[in-house]
Structure formats: structure tokens, C-alpha cells
Amino acid sequence: MDYLLANTPIEKLESECLIVAIFEENQLSPAAQTLDSLTDGLISNILTRGDIKGKVADTLLINYLPHAAIKRALLVGLGDKNDLSSKKYRKAVAAAANTLKATQIKSADCCLVENQVTGQNLTWNARHIVEAFDAPFYQFNDCKSKPAAKLTLTSISLHSETDAVAIQAGLDQGLAIAQGVALTKHVSDLPGNICTPTYLAEQAIEIAKQHKNLSAEILEEADMQKLGMGSFLSVSRGSRQPAKLITLEYKGADANTQPIVFVGKGLTFDAGGISLKPGAGMDEMKYDMCGSAAVLGALQAAAQLQLPLNIVGIIPSSENMPDGDANKPGDIVTSMAGLTIEILNTDAEGRLILCDALTYAKKFNPDVVIDMATLTGACLVALGRVPSGLLGNDDTLCNDLSAASETALDSVWRLPLWEEYQDQLKSNFADIANIGGRDAGTITAACFLSRFTKDYKWAHLDIAGTAWKSGDAKGATGRPVPLLVQYLLDRANAA
Ligand code: BES
Ligand code: MN
Ligand code: ZN
């Protein structure tokens, strides 16, 4: 989809379809008013008939207008004129996009930027229009012998006669986020037999090639052996696919600026290992690399926006398979940090690969480290599929992420990382066990990671409930790319 900025007054505009807002109680937005006068009161007549009530996300496509230059109009309800929240706005724009998806319209002019959203500015409005329009037009066609019918809509013009600079900024941000999200969804939706650790490494190299100050480095199993990554390598031992440790480095600030480091869990398939998972729904464990895909998407977006920051993305990638050489319950391995780990359940493998990646992160002298991982089923029990779980050892970092999540409409909810929970990880035979029992599974998983992150400010995002959808709408969501990019934008603004 192309996104353009258009400043032609509506009176002089030629358009296949003009998208205008209406409110409850037959109230018109400024653009709707202009269209109303151009069409001898057609819009207000339709509202008086009661065919559209103006509730949030109501839409009505008018296929013919008595005004030759504008062929159609899409009315979009924004609810109560004096109470337009961020979520309502985003929901309404998404409804507009979904309505147009079902038509033959090729390009549309969107007049929704002008509507005041509580607490937000025009840049925010423009950016969320781009994000909301892009999402429903994502298609996964790689593996179908006949691709799904091509979608007709290919271009959206954001209409505003003023504030071009602010709107263009939102457009640029929105496009970078939308393309980061689309990349993340695509890599995540690919099946495990295509998206292997080697494939992820190739993708990182490819993304790095496309941007001048982005570089990729791939460590092989032999390199990791030298670094002493006994925990990470123990997970990979049960797999025919070689593990990879992928590093993407983006340099947008001077060399002595400490980097923001992202670490993403990259289990390209998690069968559970010897602690084998039940069969039902196991296909969804191809999504156990969504954290790593989000790192790729966020780094791509940062490079596209040329943010004045240094950013490092670290992706430990492996499969977790049952095999004669796989980890066995009771095995004890030694991590890169020197801590020994008793593996009581081989299905708690994410933390085993992340702990070595988190130790490796120290070499970049990080300002902050944020990891994202489809880490625990318990996160779904605790928080469902609405927010990602957030835990960390630094209140400022956690608060910054919470604030960014609200701007990005990519929610998080913080869980406590109190020392009382650490006792659940006691092992009789090693320094630490890899599971903490039935209670508070998301917290004890984060407790495990916290043993390896003491030297820097760190936050952990458990995205098990938010990275993909199950059922009829099965597919990756691209979360938490919007949150990560917003955090970067906020940091760039503060710098
Ligand atoms: N990748 C899974 C977590 C997961 C499960 C994410 C379901 C999304 C949906 C992770 O590797 C895992 O298996 N975790 C175990 C940990 C347990 C053995 C302590 C879990 O959550 O059951
Ligand atoms: Mn597992
Ligand atoms: Zn896993």
C-alpha cells in the first residue's frame, strides 16, 4: 500500500472515495460538512434517516454522489464527539480499512487526520491511520499454490490542507512500523521447515544489506562453544538444524553512545524436547520465534527511520526437539555466566537459550536490555491475549515501556519480580533449576532470566499471549514491534 499526503481542498479534489468522519447525534466532522454542502445536504439526509448512527466503527459506503469529482464516500463513526479516545479512533480507522478491503476501490482519500483524539497530536493520528490501514491488507501467500485474490486498494492519501510537516512525520513513522510489523508477521507465519535458524540468519543478513548503517553477524555452534554457551547449545543438541546466534547492529549515534539492546527468543519450533508437548495445537509452536521476528522488524523500522540511536538486536535461534542426543530431565548444564542449571523440564527451553544471549549482551555495554519471548503458557492464564507481560529490574525502564505501550496501542501489564519468588528455582544438585513449579509460571521464568541480567537495566516482555492469534484468525500479530519502535522514538526524542 502507498501512503501519500494530499492538500487539495475537498472542493477541488478528484477522488474514487472520500473517507469522512461522523459522530453520534448526527454530527458531522469538518470534512463531512464540506462534502455535505458539495452534495446539497446528502450526508445530513442520510444521517437523519438513521441509516448510520455514528457509533464507534460504524461504516457506511455511499456508492454514488451528486458531485462528479468525488465518486464515493465512506462515512466512519467516531462516537461521542467530545470523547474520542485513542482506542476508539484506532478501532474506527481499522473498520474503515476493512470496509474498503471488500470493495473494488483502488485509491482513497482519508480525511480522518483532522479529528481531535484525546491526548494525541496530528503525527499520532497520521501514524495510526497508516498502521490501521496496513494491517488488514497483510496476506501470507508464500505456501499456497494459487495465491489469494489480489486486493484492489493500493493507495491511501491522508488529506489535510494544513500541518503537512507533522502529518508527514506520522506517515513516515506509520510506514516504518507497518513494514516492520509486516516483516515480523511474515517471518513468524512461515512454517518451521522453512523458517529454520539458518533462515532467520539469512533474513538478518538480507535486512542488514538494505540499510547502510545496519550490519549482521552470525555465530555458529563452534563459536558459541568457545564462548561457553553450554545452556543454549544443550537445547540445540536434539535438533538436526544448527543453532545460530544472530546479532544485528544499528549505528545511528556516535560510537560512545551506549546501545539499546533487544534480545528475541528464536525457537523456530518448540516440540518440548523429551518433555514432549501434547499433539493438539502443536503446530502453533512454529510461532516460538516471534520474539526474534519482532527484533528483526524493530531493527528494520529503526534503520528506515534513521533514528539517532545505537541499537543492537540479539537473536539466539534453535529448535527444541526430542532426540537421542536431546536434553533429558535431570541433566545439568553450565551457562556462559558460569551458573549451573538443572533441567527439570526440557520444555522450559526458552530461558535456557535466552540466559546465554543475555550474558552475551554485556559485551555491548548496554544502556538497557529488553528481551521479548513467547516464554510461558502461564502468561496466557494470567493476562489472556490482551497485554504482553512486563517484568524487569528497573522501574524507569518499565515505566517508559508502559508509557510507550499506551501511545503505540500495544499494551503491556507489569507483573512483580519480587525476591520471594526466587526460592521456587532452588535445585538440590545445581545452582538453579530451570522451572519453578506450577505457581506464578511467568514470574518464575522471569526470575530465572533475572539471574543473568544483574549487570544492567533490563526488562522482559512475555509475548506468549500476544504474538499470534489462534483459531480461524490464526496468524502472527507483529506485536510487540509497535511498542518497541515507540520506545525507540521516545528515546530518540529525549536524546
Ligand atoms: N514456548 C513455550 C511457551 C508457550 C506455550 C507459548 C504456549 C505460547 C503458548 C515455552 O517454551 C514452554 O514450553 N513453556 C512451558 C514452561 C513450563 C515447562 C515451566 C510452559 O509454559 O508450559
Ligand atoms: Mn517449551
Ligand atoms: Zn518455547
Side-chain angles (χ1 to χ4, degrees), residues 270 277 347 349:
D270 176 15
K277 285 186 181 295
D347 198 11
E349 85 298 337

Side-chain angles (χ1 to χ4, degrees), residues 122-409:
L122 290 174
T123 300
W124 185 95
N125 287 14
R127 167 190 151 179
H128 280 275
I129 290 176
V130 176
E131 288 185 56
F133 260 92
D134 222 67
F137 286 83
Y138 167 82
Q139 284 183 315
F140 182 84
N141 276 329
D142 291 39
C143 302
K144 302 222 176 174
S145 53
K146 286 197 200 84
K150 229 174 175 289
L151 296 163
T152 327
L153 190 72
T154 52
S155 134
I156 298 288
S157 296
L158 270 59
H159 189 274
S160 172
E161 289 162 43
T162 55
D163 303 294
V165 173
I167 296 169
Q168 186 64 49
L171 229 145
D172 294 343
Q173 292 172 10
L175 194 59
I177 295 169
Q179 290 177 347
V181 164
L183 168 81
T184 299
K185 284 183 182 175
H186 178 249
V187 180
S188 301
D189 282 335
L190 282 170
N193 61 330
I194 295 175
C195 181
T196 59
T198 303
Y199 179 89
L200 278 182
E202 287 163 2
Q203 288 308 298
I205 292 168
E206 198 47 48
I207 295 164
K209 265 193 203 148
Q210 286 160 16
H211 299 92
K212 63 176 193 306
N213 40 5
L214 192 60
S215 61
E217 188 195 33
I218 315 297
L219 294 194
E220 306 295 334
E221 288 184 350
D223 305 315
M224 296 183 242
Q225 196 80 53
K226 283 185 202 134
L227 290 167
M229 296 186 165
S231 183
F232 180 5
L233 288 170
S234 78
V235 174
S236 168
R237 260 202 347 259
S239 162
R240 310 276 172 103
Q241 294 290 337
K244 305 278 171 180
L245 183 66
I246 304 160
T247 303
L248 269 173
E249 238 181 309
Y250 167 73
K251 292 189 172 131
D254 53 64
N256 50 24
T257 305
Q258 288 179 276
I260 294 162
V261 177
F262 293 146
V263 179
K265 174 177 174 184
L267 255 297
T268 58
F269 192 75
D270 176 15
I274 297 299
S275 312
L276 191 64
K277 285 186 181 295
M282 209 211 267
D283 65 291
E284 295 191 5
M285 281 300 116
K286 73 174 183 179
Y287 287 121
D288 215 14
M289 39 57 69
C290 285
S292 68
V295 171
L296 296 179
L299 264 290
Q300 175 183 275
Q304 203 165 313
L305 291 168
Q306 286 294 304
L307 296 179
L309 300 166
N310 290 334
I311 311 165
V312 177
I314 303 176
I315 296 173
S317 183
S318 163
E319 286 184 331
N320 185 27
M321 300 291 275
D323 180 84
D325 199 31
N327 275 329
K328 303 173 292 297
D331 282 2
I332 295 176
V333 298
T334 304
S335 63
M336 181 179 175
L339 277 182
T340 60
I341 303 161
E342 185 183 15
I343 301 173
L344 291 172
N345 188 320
T346 68
D347 198 11
E349 85 298 337
R351 58 199 83 180
L352 295 176
I353 74 166
L354 285 167
C355 70
D356 282 343
L358 288 165
T359 302
Y360 183 71
K362 280 196 240 178
K363 96 171 202 165
F364 296 96
N365 183 25
D367 176 46
V368 298
V369 177
I370 302 164
D371 81 74
M372 53 235 74
T374 47
L375 203 62
T376 63
C379 196
L380 273 133
V381 178
L383 297 173
R385 292 175 190 275
V386 181
S388 303
L390 165 66
L391 304 101
N393 64 12
D394 185 79
D395 287 342
T396 307
L397 174 58
C398 288
N399 291 341
D400 287 351
L401 284 167
S402 294
S405 83
E406 286 186 24
T407 312
L409 296 177

